[in-house]
Amino acid sequence: MLILSRTYARVLRAARRFDEAIIANEQLLKSRPQDRAAMYELGRALHSAGQRRRAVETLALTANEGSVAATRDLCRYGARGRLKTRTEGIFPPEDYDSFTKSNPTPQPPPTSTTTHFAVRLGAPSSPNNQTLRSLKEQSHAAWHVAHDDDSSPGQQPGMFDLVLPAGAVLDRHCLAWLNWAIDQTACTTVRADHDHFVANTDARCDPVLLPQPDFLWTENAKGIARLAAHGPGEARIAHLPLTLMTLPVDEAPVPRPLPDAPPRPITVIIPSRDNPKLLLAAVSTLLSQASEPDLVEIIVLDNRSRTRSAAVLFEHLAERANTRVLQFDEPFNWSRANNFGAVDATGDTLLFLNDDTEMLTSGWDRVIAGLLADPRVGLVGSRMLYPDETIQHGGFVFGMDNGPQHEGRWFPADDPGPAGRWIAVRQAVAVTGAFMAIRSQDFHALGGFDGANFAVDFADVDLCLRVRKRGMAVAYCGAITLRHHESVSRGLNLSRIQRARMRRERRRFEARWGEVARYDPGYHPAWTRTGCAYDGLQAPGLDEIVRHVLAGARAWIC
């Protein structure tokens, strides 16, 4: 009877009858409150039903009693901090101070040259100045405190300028590592990471672990980098993935202005099948939030809808000027459907949009126009939220143990992410095709989506990599936010046929892109590669540090 009860609960969850699965497991636990298998299955059912908080509480009870499967799921769901013991030496982000104490900065490899640093202090250099004290403890001795009337080091070979914020405290190997990176890369700017003191203590918090140089996010006057040495010559930038400076707690950051430009004609392409309620919300919110709705052309691709309600909506949509409903009478192929719609598009910009989204950001069309006005930007994506106000998509991360995954998944919508990355405008390795904007001429030059190899999954990521291969950036824009009822219209990948198709497409993607599909220049090597991205810290080895620094020159190019 016990086996039948457990099996029945699992079958209910597999059939997406999540509420019934929850009840079945709760009833089983009433008679067997210590049944770890039922507790674990209850946690999975709660998570599938979107009750993440209860799911985490339930899985934590099971994991901390020794369940390997529950431990794995907690880490995958971004709740590593609920474990009583660390796994594989990985520290949860909330235990950052312990991470720094357990992992002091190593010495750099020896170098053949010595860089002299002209250090400019952000506060008077009194004997008690904590910045000056940290300078005197440096393992690299070639430095001096520069003054405002000193000549620029840009005119002096072998000297680099280092401007330190007020209250900065340097790691004792800070200058030695900067010297090593300059020697190894011949770059004229070397950046490193920083963190902050907990108020009124010497404990550390809030690390800013930088990506490889990113012209959208780090490389400007209002970028997030705070520790950088500058030398003479044409700007070439290297990044050291080490926290070499600690600052007092920052004041509230000044919001950076969003990209902005007058909107250009844009064609929105939306495949849909028998999903009228959500499709109406997708179209109406997109138009109501546009600054120039008359410049927005809508093309809906009817993929064999059968219901009367869908037909009525299509008739209603077709009454709007600049809106068309085209028949896509083929088995569902997301890539081919979007390519089909792009042929008839008249806009300068194409926006591929899922029919299960709702636009939440006013003036989204101006932001897209502002980003695509920069010829260095080839494609634009957005932030997506689940209906329960948790993040569904904050860009992609490559190189995780379970393949490409969405950043920020299941974190609260008001969580800005590490260093504010989920609300930032920055580069990403890829973005979801649920909202993806690209110049029409670029899309056609690239040959569109690859429907022959990627009917549903990985087509969007594949296009992003082809954009990057042409030397253009994929821009993630956290300032554009949509609600996404993920996979409502076509369902999740639960059937045997759907899972098999997804595995085939993943194998094709990995075979095509190789190491590019596993390397993410935006993902700092101190973040764990197991479970959920940005949910654990692990000290990178010396070989990882060296590889990261030397890879910087080709960071965002495939």
Side-chain angles (χ1 to χ4, degrees), residues 49 83 122 134 143 168 218 274 311 472 491 539 555:
L83 296 172
S134 69
W143 61 272
T218 64
D274 287 325
M472 296 183 292

Side-chain angles (χ1 to χ4, degrees), residues 57 63 81 112 136 221 224 248 331 339 396 421 430 460 471 484 524 527:
E57 295 289 341
S112 57
K136 291 177 179 178
I224 60 173
N339 290 344
F396 270 94
R421 63 182 295 110
D460 48 2
H484 188 195
H524 194 285
W527 291 111

Side-chain angles (χ1 to χ4, degrees), residues 201-335:
T201 74
D202 60 358
R204 291 159 65 183
C205 64
D206 298 333
V208 177
L209 305 179
L210 299 170
Q212 293 284 15
D214 179 349
F215 72 91
L216 289 171
W217 195 29
T218 64
E219 307 312 313
N220 55 54
K222 294 186 178 180
I224 60 173
R226 302 293 300 276
L227 176 60
H230 301 282
E234 184 179 352
R236 291 183 60 241
I237 304 168
H239 170 240
L240 271 164
L242 292 166
T243 305
L244 301 179
M245 179 175 72
T246 302
L247 299 175
V249 176
D250 278 344
E251 298 178 0
V254 178
R256 295 176 62 187
L258 290 176
D260 183 73
R264 297 187 60 79
I266 184 169
T267 299
V268 184
I269 299 171
I270 313 174
S272 188
R273 177 193 295 170
D274 287 325
N275 198 23
K277 183 177 180 180
L278 288 175
L279 174 61
L280 178 60
V283 172
S284 60
T285 57
L286 197 75
L287 292 173
S288 66
Q289 299 282 22
S291 61
E292 295 288 348
D294 291 342
L295 295 180
V296 179
E297 176 184 48
I298 303 288
I299 294 180
V300 175
L301 302 167
D302 175 14
N303 186 212
R304 296 178 170 177
S305 294
R306 295 291 180 265
T307 63
R308 176 58 185 164
S309 56
V312 170
L313 177 61
F314 292 149
E315 292 172 4
H316 171 70
L317 291 175
E319 293 174 357
R320 174 188 178 263
N322 223 15
T323 297
R324 284 173 286 161
V325 178
L326 305 181
Q327 298 302 311
F328 183 68
D329 189 15
E330 296 182 16
F332 181 72
N333 183 310
W334 184 87
S335 298

Side-chain angles (χ1 to χ4, degrees), residues 220-469:
N220 55 54
K222 294 186 178 180
I224 60 173
R226 302 293 300 276
L227 176 60
H230 301 282
E234 184 179 352
R236 291 183 60 241
I237 304 168
H239 170 240
L240 271 164
L242 292 166
T243 305
L244 301 179
M245 179 175 72
T246 302
L247 299 175
V249 176
D250 278 344
E251 298 178 0
V254 178
R256 295 176 62 187
L258 290 176
D260 183 73
R264 297 187 60 79
I266 184 169
T267 299
V268 184
I269 299 171
I270 313 174
S272 188
R273 177 193 295 170
D274 287 325
N275 198 23
K277 183 177 180 180
L278 288 175
L279 174 61
L280 178 60
V283 172
S284 60
T285 57
L286 197 75
L287 292 173
S288 66
Q289 299 282 22
S291 61
E292 295 288 348
D294 291 342
L295 295 180
V296 179
E297 176 184 48
I298 303 288
I299 294 180
V300 175
L301 302 167
D302 175 14
N303 186 212
R304 296 178 170 177
S305 294
R306 295 291 180 265
T307 63
R308 176 58 185 164
S309 56
V312 170
L313 177 61
F314 292 149
E315 292 172 4
H316 171 70
L317 291 175
E319 293 174 357
R320 174 188 178 263
N322 223 15
T323 297
R324 284 173 286 161
V325 178
L326 305 181
Q327 298 302 311
F328 183 68
D329 189 15
E330 296 182 16
F332 181 72
N333 183 310
W334 184 87
S335 298
R336 283 180 53 80
N338 280 301
N339 290 344
F340 179 75
V343 171
D344 273 10
T346 64
D348 299 335
T349 301
L350 303 178
L351 173 60
F352 300 100
L353 184 73
N354 275 23
D355 68 350
D356 55 357
T357 59
E358 298 173 56
M359 174 57 70
L360 303 177
T361 301
S362 61
W364 59 268
D365 49 341
R366 294 191 65 92
V367 179
I368 287 177
L371 281 165
L372 291 179
D374 188 333
R376 297 173 296 177
V377 174
L379 189 148
V380 179
S382 71
R383 188 174 72 134
M384 296 279 187
L385 304 180
Y386 285 117
D388 68 353
E389 296 301 306
T390 59
I391 298 171
Q392 184 259 337
H393 170 78
F396 270 94
V397 171
F398 285 1
M400 301 299 293
D401 60 345
N402 56 354
Q405 65 173 244
H406 288 191
E407 284 195 30
R409 199 170 189 183
W410 302 307
F411 283 82
D414 59 1
D415 189 334
R421 63 182 295 110
W422 297 332
I423 59 173
V425 177
R426 57 175 173 81
Q427 289 191 69
V429 284
V431 294
T432 177
F435 181 96
M436 176 182 281
I438 185 173
R439 300 179 196 89
S440 178
Q441 63 183 24
D442 290 337
F443 182 76
H444 292 299
L446 287 163
F449 295 106
D450 184 353
N453 289 296
F454 308 112
V456 180
D457 297 292
F458 296 99
D460 48 2
V461 184
D462 174 74
L463 181 68
C464 288
L465 294 193
R466 286 188 279 136
V467 166
R468 289 172 48 209
K469 189 173 182 178

Side-chain angles (χ1 to χ4, degrees), residues 478-489:
I480 299 176
T481 300
L482 295 91
R483 185 174 294 114
H484 188 195
H485 304 266
E486 185 185 30
S487 302
V488 167
S489 54

